[in-house]
Amino acid sequence: MLSYRWILLLSVVVVVAVAAELPLASTTFKTLTGNAPLVIARGGFSGLFPDSSQFAFGFALSATSTDTSLWCDVQLTKDGVGFCLRDLLMQNGTTISQVYPGGKQTYRINGVPKTGWFPVDYNMSLLTNYSHLPLGSNTGTSRTDKFDFCNFRIFSVTGFMSSIEPSSLWLNVEHDVFYTEHGLNMTNYILSVQKLGFVKYISSPELGFLETLSGGIDHKVKLVFRFLDKAVSDPSTNKTYDSMLNDLAFIKTIASGIMVPKSYIWPVTSENYIQLPTQIVKDAHDAGLEIYASDFSNDGNFPYNYGYDPLEEYLSFVSNGGFSVDGVLTDHPLTASEAIGNILIISHNGASGDYPDCTDLAYEKAVGDGADVIDCSIEMTKDGIPICMSSINLYDQNSKFSSLASVVPEIQTKPGIFTFNLTWEEISTLRPKITHPYHDFVRNPKDKDLSGIMIIMKNAAFMAKSLGFDVVDLVTTALSNAGYDNMDPTTKNNKEIMIQSKDSAVLVKLKQRLTQCKLVYSLPLKVGDVSDSCVADIKKFADAVIVDRESVFAESKGFIIRKSKVVEDVQSAGLALYVEVFRNEYVSSPVDFFADGTVEINNYVQLQVPIGDLAQLLDAECSTGGMLPALAPMPVLNSSDVIEPPLPAAEPKSAAGSSATNACVVGVLAPPPLFSSSREYVLLATLLLLQML
């Protein structure tokens, strides 16, 4: 049996990571009772550990609120012992097909033949010989398979109670009719175990089963009728669940609540957009029934409206829709009650998860979503106009100018159509496309105050040498033309402008011109340490640095192995540090963060949190197949990696002199600059961004 030492160690990480960001408790919720919605951990923390395993239950109990209810799908063995396992077809969650390869049977379940391994064919003593598999390895999600090698054992319901001792246990009985057909009495079993005192909720999609319990159940235990897909029928009543939505008054005579799939509340179109909410929450509450929503997980299929953010989805069920469900059933119980901390949020090409990169819609959405700083990667057009563009290569945007494709070795080895091949007028005729960094995850195909903006400069040396553009001069000119030369830096409405580059020569030149800007240096990828001399050199031309996520937490096969010294090196020298790029798609983050962007971000803020515990668990408790490959040390950044020769002189094709100095701490917007009114594509670089301040 696995040691609870690991469960406690892991829970320390989660508690510290989330404690600073939990939302302030609402005085009232629009639940039936006015209490906070219940978080129900399905099979424990099954989004990380094997469903219904000791680790999944123990971790859910240790890492979340004491009010969290642990969900157990009750199955019965041949000798009448109840145990927790999500699926009646045991091969979907265990290694039973390998241990008993000849045990495959075919039985009818609710009138439909099903083939597999069933618990009614085995005594409990036989089930101790095989272990659980993570549910994710069988459902096509990206959940890690490393815990397949950890010998998690089947959990009897009574064994679960005695070892975990949950404050709230939710028993779900899915197939009472099936067990009755095989001579097993689920009613008597449930009535006996609920007397042990841990059970607070009992649910079933068979109303007839709940009715058999209602006379003998403890009055403190709540019975909940569970709705399944609308077209499916309850085998105990032969009514479809859709038709039973009209029987809420009758259901109230048997149960105190109902549970529905989340699509019952927020329907989703075939194009993956949510529709207006239904009236089911109101109808249930009007009937005196609590209503719980099911099918939540951080790595499921999200409607585009949520931008792959599970936190936003939960909020739509508990606060943002003008109503609140009474609880949520989830594989990731931590996310159901968390909120983001007070940190500086910098957009990445605007809200590029919702709209095409660097468009006005993307920037407006970033502002509306609460970004503190919006960013702009500067590229140059053929006629010398600086624009905001996430990539210098326009090849994927449109084939209209495909005849201009060429290879520019200083930029990339593949052919491209570059911004400097086209005039601003030509670029403004193109139609933008939303980016898809993870090809299996399609982003939405339909297309308040800030503390500042981030301007990003790339390829400055190439532009100066090959195109005759002095990008530093052009950006400072744009700032001057926007009216930011004479702002009073003492006014409370001042906004900060940051300029970012991976080229130290760019920042050195800007340092000489714009003493009040915050200059931000981008470190190379996957740096493990920064030498003292290198930090001293960076401090000569930059006020802050940006690092990639893996330069903070080194990973092996999706598990965090260790924390680097980069943060300590940089911050001890008095430099601000930013980390990039955070995305909502759950495949982007390490397993340690539970497919939860909020937990991930907070771990980068609360840097004292212990790191690498899951990797240590695999090494200590699992067989060879679950162990991670050794991780080579990441390189040290030295002065020779940072110091660059000055930018080459540029001979602009048109006069664009600049006298702008000290223009980067700005106040209320001066007379707005002129720029294209197109909402469809690239924005004129600093001019439109500055107007948004």
Side-chain angles (χ1 to χ4, degrees):
M1 186 64 70
L2 296 174
S3 170
Y4 272 105
R5 175 175 63 90
W6 287 109
I7 295 177
L8 295 174
L9 181 60
L10 287 168
S11 68
V12 169
V13 176
V14 178
V15 170
V16 175
V18 178
E21 62 194 278
L22 288 175
L24 294 176
S26 174
T27 53
T28 59
F29 289 87
K30 294 183 179 180
T31 57
L32 182 65
T33 62
N35 296 326
L38 179 70
V39 176
I40 311 157
R42 185 173 188 181
F45 210 116
S46 56
L48 175 62
F49 295 107
D51 184 281
S52 304
S53 65
Q54 182 177 0
F55 256 54
F57 284 129
F59 189 54
L61 188 63
S62 300
T64 63
S65 167
T66 56
D67 295 330
T68 297
S69 189
L70 301 185
W71 171 285
C72 167
D73 285 291
V74 182
Q75 312 295 344
L76 287 181
T77 63
K78 186 177 182 178
D79 50 346
V81 178
F83 65 95
C84 303
L85 189 67
R86 181 174 298 197
D87 202 324
L88 182 64
L89 295 169
M90 297 182 66
Q91 72 273 16
N92 291 338
T94 73
T95 58
I96 192 169
S97 63
Q98 301 169 29
V99 178
Y100 300 114
K104 184 186 295 186
Q105 299 289 339
T106 298
Y107 295 122
R108 299 185 72 84
I109 302 176
N110 299 339
V112 179
K114 298 287 184 179
T115 299
W117 283 257
F118 295 84
V120 294
D121 294 322
Y122 302 90
N123 290 331
M124 189 63 188
S125 60
L126 294 177
L127 299 186
T128 60
N129 295 325
Y130 61 89
S131 58
H132 287 275
L133 284 177
L135 185 63
S137 66
N138 295 316
T139 60
T141 73
S142 66
R143 294 180 185 176
T144 180
D145 64 353
K146 293 298 181 182
F147 294 111
D148 289 9
F149 305 92
C150 290
N151 267 341
F152 294 105
R153 299 297 179 181
I154 290 291
F155 232 161
S156 71
V157 174
T158 53
F160 164 49
M161 291 178 176
S162 61
S163 58
I164 300 295
E165 296 185 349
S167 60
S168 174
L169 176 58
W170 187 308
L171 299 181
N172 181 63
V173 176
E174 197 84 358
H175 299 289
D176 174 60
V177 170
F178 171 80
Y179 286 112
T180 299
E181 291 171 348
H182 287 266
L184 295 169
N185 194 319
M186 181 67 80
T187 299
N188 287 347
Y189 179 79
I190 294 297
L191 289 175
S192 66
V193 297
Q194 62 94 26
K195 295 177 181 179
L196 299 178
F198 297 100
V199 179
K200 298 295 188 292
Y201 303 87
I202 300 172
S203 62
S204 178
E206 299 177 9
L207 191 61
F209 171 69
L210 295 180
E211 192 170 15
T212 66
L213 295 176
S214 58
I217 209 77
D218 187 291
H219 71 281
K220 294 181 180 179
V221 176
K222 295 183 178 181
L223 298 181
V224 178
F225 178 57
R226 188 179 181 194
F227 284 76
L228 302 181
D229 292 343
K230 291 183 178 181
V232 175
S233 295
D234 171 1
S236 69
T237 64
N238 292 321
K239 292 183 178 180
T240 65
Y241 291 106
D242 188 30
S243 67
M244 295 182 75
L245 289 173
N246 299 316
D247 297 335
L248 296 183
F250 175 69
I251 293 172
K252 180 63 174 67
T253 65
I254 299 171
S256 60
I258 61 174
M259 175 174 283
V260 299
K262 59 187 180 182
S263 60
Y264 274 48
I265 299 171
W266 287 98
V268 180
T269 69
S270 59
E271 295 181 331
N272 203 33
Y273 293 91
I274 58 173
Q275 298 175 295
L276 292 174
T278 67
Q279 292 294 307
I280 188 171
V281 176
K282 181 180 184 301
D283 292 344
H285 286 171
D286 287 348
L289 289 164
E290 293 182 316
I291 179 169
Y292 304 88
S294 64
D295 301 343
F296 289 91
S297 71
N298 292 3
D299 50 10
N301 180 37
F302 287 94
Y304 294 130
N305 311 69
Y306 300 132
Y308 293 102
D309 184 353
L311 188 61
E312 186 171 346
E313 182 182 37
Y314 283 118
L315 290 173
S316 71
F317 284 83
V318 300
S319 64
N320 291 350
F323 59 81
S324 177
V325 297
D326 297 274
V328 291
L329 175 63
T330 175
D331 291 1
H332 294 83
L334 186 64
T335 309
S337 59
E338 67 187 15
I340 198 166
N342 183 23
I343 59 176
L344 183 70
I345 304 298
I346 304 173
S347 72
H348 180 60
N349 303 319
S352 54
D354 296 304
Y355 294 103
D357 297 359
C358 302
T359 57
D360 54 350
L361 291 176
Y363 286 122
E364 289 170 2
K365 182 65 161 58
V367 174
D369 285 348
D372 300 296
V373 174
I374 50 176
D375 66 313
C376 169
S377 296
I378 295 291
E379 303 295 351
M380 302 301 301
T381 67
K382 184 177 181 179
D383 47 347
I385 297 176
I387 60 176
C388 295
M389 178 69 73
S390 61
S391 173
I392 195 172
N393 183 13
L394 300 175
Y395 193 85
D396 291 335
Q397 297 291 341
N398 202 296
S399 60
K400 181 178 180 180
F401 299 100
S402 58
S403 62
L404 299 178
S406 63
V407 175
V408 180
E410 296 92 335
I411 302 295
Q412 63 184 44
T413 58
K414 296 180 179 180
I417 303 172
F418 303 100
T419 57
F420 53 76
N421 296 140
L422 305 177
T423 65
W424 163 246
E425 184 176 356
E426 291 172 327
I427 289 176
S428 63
T429 66
L430 302 179
R431 182 175 181 82
K433 297 179 180 178
I434 196 168
T435 55
H436 303 284
Y438 307 102
H439 296 297
D440 291 337
F441 295 84
V442 178
R443 288 175 169 175
N444 189 342
K446 297 180 180 179
D447 294 354
K448 119 188 207 223
D449 277 348
L450 293 169
S451 63
I453 63 171
M454 173 85 78
I455 297 172
I456 304 167
M457 293 189 181
K458 303 176 182 178
N459 305 307
F462 168 79
M463 291 181 186
K465 182 179 179 180
S466 301
L467 305 178
F469 294 141
D470 186 332
V471 66
V472 174
D473 185 67
L474 288 167
V475 169
T476 55
T477 298
L479 289 169
S480 178
N481 291 342
Y484 289 96
D485 284 354
N486 301 310
M487 295 300 173
D488 181 359
T490 65
T491 62
K492 66 179 181 179
N493 292 326
N494 285 348
K495 310 296 183 183
E496 182 175 55
I497 296 177
M498 296 185 282
I499 300 181
Q500 173 193 346
S501 181
K502 67 180 181 61
D503 302 314
S504 62
V506 170
L507 300 180
V508 168
K509 189 171 182 178
L510 285 167
K511 187 78 170 181
Q512 298 167 353
R513 296 188 177 204
L514 305 172
T515 58
Q516 295 188 50
C517 269
K518 176 175 279 190
L519 302 181
V520 184
Y521 181 56
S522 296
L523 297 190
L525 299 178
K526 297 184 179 180
V527 172
D529 198 354
V530 184
S531 68
D532 292 342
S533 61
C534 185
V535 173
D537 287 328
I538 293 173
K539 197 170 182 180
K540 293 175 183 177
F541 59 79
D543 306 293
V545 300
I546 284 184
V547 300
D548 66 297
R549 296 179 305 169
E550 287 195 57
S551 289
V552 180
F553 297 127
E555 300 176 29
S556 175
K557 299 294 185 181
F559 286 80
I560 292 177
I561 302 300
R562 59 175 177 266
K563 181 168 71 74
S564 76
K565 294 183 60 181
V566 170
V567 175
E568 178 184 345
D569 295 337
V570 170
Q571 292 184 335
S572 63
L575 291 167
L577 182 138
Y578 307 111
V579 182
E580 65 175 9
V581 172
F582 293 92
R583 295 185 172 99
N584 285 345
E585 288 91 343
Y586 60 84
V587 294
S588 70
S589 63
V591 175
D592 305 66
F593 300 139
F594 320 124
D596 186 328
T598 304
V599 170
E600 180 178 19
I601 288 175
N602 204 51
N603 267 274
Y604 283 85
V605 178
Q606 306 284 344
L607 292 174
Q608 74 275 15
V609 173
I611 288 298
D613 295 333
L614 286 179
Q616 293 178 46
L617 184 153
L618 288 173
D619 289 343
E621 303 286 359
C622 303
S623 60
T624 304
M627 298 177 70
L628 301 171
L631 188 66
M634 292 192 295
V636 177
L637 193 68
N638 295 305
S639 293
S640 59
D641 302 311
V642 169
I643 302 300
E644 299 174 348
L647 292 174
E651 297 181 3
K653 296 178 181 179
S654 60
S658 172
S659 59
T661 58
N662 301 332
C664 285
V665 175
V666 297
V668 180
L669 183 65
L674 297 176
F675 56 93
S676 170
S677 61
S678 171
R679 292 182 59 84
E680 292 256 296
Y681 207 56
V682 188
L683 308 178
L684 287 174
T686 48
L687 303 185
L688 182 55
L689 287 173
L690 292 172
Q691 189 186 42
M692 295 180 74
L693 295 174

